Amino acid sequence: MGKVTITDIARAAGVSVPTVSRVVNGRSDVSPQTRARIEDLLREHGYRRRPQASGNRAALVDLVFNDLDSPWAVEIIRGVEEVAHAAGVGTVVSAIHDRAGSAQQWMKNLRARASDGVILVTSVLEPGMHEELHRLGVPLVVIDPAGSPTLDAPTVGATNWAGGMAATEHLIALGHRRIGFVAGPPRLLCSRARLDGYRAALEGAGIAVDDALIVQGDFYHASGFAGAEQLLALAEPPTALFASSDQMALGAIEALRRRGLRVPEDLSVVGFDDLPEVRWSAPPLTTVRQPLSEMGKVAARTVMRLARGEELDSPRVELATELVLRASTAPHSPNLTDRSNIA
């Protein structure tokens, strides 16, 4: 057989993966007979153990992003580091960029430092790299998985669909019927869920979904600016805009400002995340609070439990989102029904 994983060993021994992990990590809470059977299989298949951390607990956790140029990432780091620091565990923060070889270099560094767990944030691991983590016995937890959750790993996320629905229902309740939406990267499950929540709220209110009011963004300021420009250029522009991230919402507000339009008097704007900076935007931004720091905390606790060979209560955790009302939204004014002049 090829490179053996702890899953292969567990299957051959007729035990759970955490039981094999306990043996690999030197834990004492495994019966002598089971331990002997697992040890025999490990030797038979040439399984290479990583150096053990002192105290038989995770001493180093890797936190991996696609990019680090966002305050969103800072909030995740804050949560992971708080839990890790309290447990005496170090945190290594890395970014796997789209550049060729970057992910492979990270994996090489991971092997060298014998990390005891990986938290992957909105990134994609190549199948071979995921298999290598299994072979090394390194537990993996994913925050906001990209694409279908096919990785054999626990995931942590937020109620993105409910958040998208709540934001859109808020605008509908204010009398808005033409609501623009700036979507996040379509490869991410969280982006698709927010879009689905937006669609569900419109359909629930009997408002036809107009695909012309849905534009593509990437969570960053520039795409929010470009998305707002695209929506304002429509023959019948929206009276409200829901951006799938706070950064895109702030970019949209800048596009409106440059056109001489006021928020919320001329157009209401809602974001998603509740980053610290949006409380100080002009005007303060109505947004959907995503518990980013808490997501980091849950992921850190989960990966450390896996590193200790413990069973999880659930492989999927979703934390609640909350609509936060500030000054960027207002009732739709009938006087602004004809908005063709703003394009």
Side-chain angles (χ1 to χ4, degrees):
M1 62 187 298
K3 293 180 178 179
V4 70
T5 70
I6 61 172
T7 302
D8 298 324
I9 299 296
R11 186 180 299 113
V15 299
S16 68
V17 170
T19 298
V20 177
S21 181
R22 291 188 188 100
V23 174
V24 169
N25 289 316
R27 291 281 296 273
S28 60
D29 49 348
V30 179
S31 69
Q33 297 84 354
T34 300
R35 178 180 299 280
R37 185 164 73 254
I38 293 172
E39 292 281 9
D40 287 344
L41 287 166
L42 291 171
R43 285 191 294 271
E44 177 184 341
H45 293 286
Y47 184 89
R48 295 180 59 189
R49 302 169 187 259
R50 293 172 297 121
Q52 295 301 306
S54 60
N56 292 327
R57 63 178 182 177
L60 194 64
V61 169
D62 267 63
L63 176 58
V64 186
F65 295 84
N66 191 52
D67 289 295
L68 288 171
D69 54 350
S70 168
W72 181 90
V74 173
E75 294 302 305
I76 295 285
I77 294 170
R78 192 191 314 277
V80 171
E81 213 286 324
E82 181 177 330
V83 169
H85 178 76
V89 175
T91 305
V92 178
V93 180
S94 307
I96 298 180
H97 304 283
D98 293 330
R99 295 190 299 269
S102 181
Q104 288 77 9
Q105 182 61 49
W106 166 75
M107 180 61 80
K108 179 179 178 181
N109 294 340
L110 178 80
R111 294 190 200 98
R113 58 178 167 261
S115 182
D116 288 86
V118 172
I119 300 172
L120 188 68
V121 187
T122 63
S123 299
V124 178
L125 279 185
E126 299 171 5
M129 297 177 68
H130 186 223
E131 292 170 5
E132 178 70 358
L133 288 179
H134 265 298
R135 190 186 71 79
L136 293 171
V138 179
L140 171 68
V141 175
V142 182
I143 296 177
D144 274 338
S148 299
T150 55
L151 288 179
D152 181 20
T155 61
V156 179
T159 53
N160 291 288
W161 184 88
M165 189 169 187
T168 310
E169 286 180 334
H170 167 62
L171 294 171
I172 292 171
L174 292 174
H176 297 282
R177 294 297 178 269
R178 286 189 62 76
I179 301 171
F181 183 79
V182 185
R187 68 184 181 86
L188 298 181
L189 289 177
C190 61
S191 297
R192 301 204 296 270
R194 293 170 199 177
L195 174 57
D196 289 344
Y198 161 83
R199 290 178 179 274
L202 292 176
E203 292 168 354
I207 302 172
V209 177
D210 184 350
D211 288 338
L213 291 174
I214 301 173
V215 297
Q216 188 59 57
D218 61 8
F219 283 161
Y220 293 100
H221 293 90
S223 68
F225 184 97
E229 289 277 282
Q230 184 177 337
L231 291 169
L232 292 174
L234 295 173
E236 188 181 352
T239 64
L241 185 151
F242 172 28
S244 192
S245 77
D246 284 348
Q247 288 184 285
M248 293 196 300
L250 295 178
I253 290 174
E254 177 60 17
L256 298 171
R257 186 192 68 79
R258 294 191 187 186
R259 285 174 174 259
L261 298 174
R262 301 164 300 164
V263 176
E265 292 86 354
D266 296 319
L267 195 137
S268 289
V269 177
V270 178
F272 201 110
D273 284 331
D274 196 27
L275 299 175
E277 65 191 270
V278 303
R279 303 174 191 180
W280 309 104
S281 61
L285 185 68
T286 292
T287 188
V288 177
R289 176 178 294 152
Q290 182 177 201
L292 296 169
S293 180
E294 185 61 30
M295 288 162 63
K297 292 178 183 178
V298 170
R301 295 187 191 107
T302 301
V303 81
M304 286 191 285
R305 287 187 64 183
L306 291 173
R308 293 191 296 265
E310 298 176 7
E311 298 277 1
L312 300 180
D313 298 328
S314 172
R316 171 66 179 169
V317 176
E318 278 197 348
L319 303 180
T321 53
E322 176 189 2
L323 181 65
V324 180
L325 301 180
R326 296 195 179 99
S328 66
T329 54
H332 171 53
S333 172
N335 296 330
L336 295 176
T337 300
D338 180 10
R339 302 171 59 81
S340 59
N341 63 320
I342 71 174

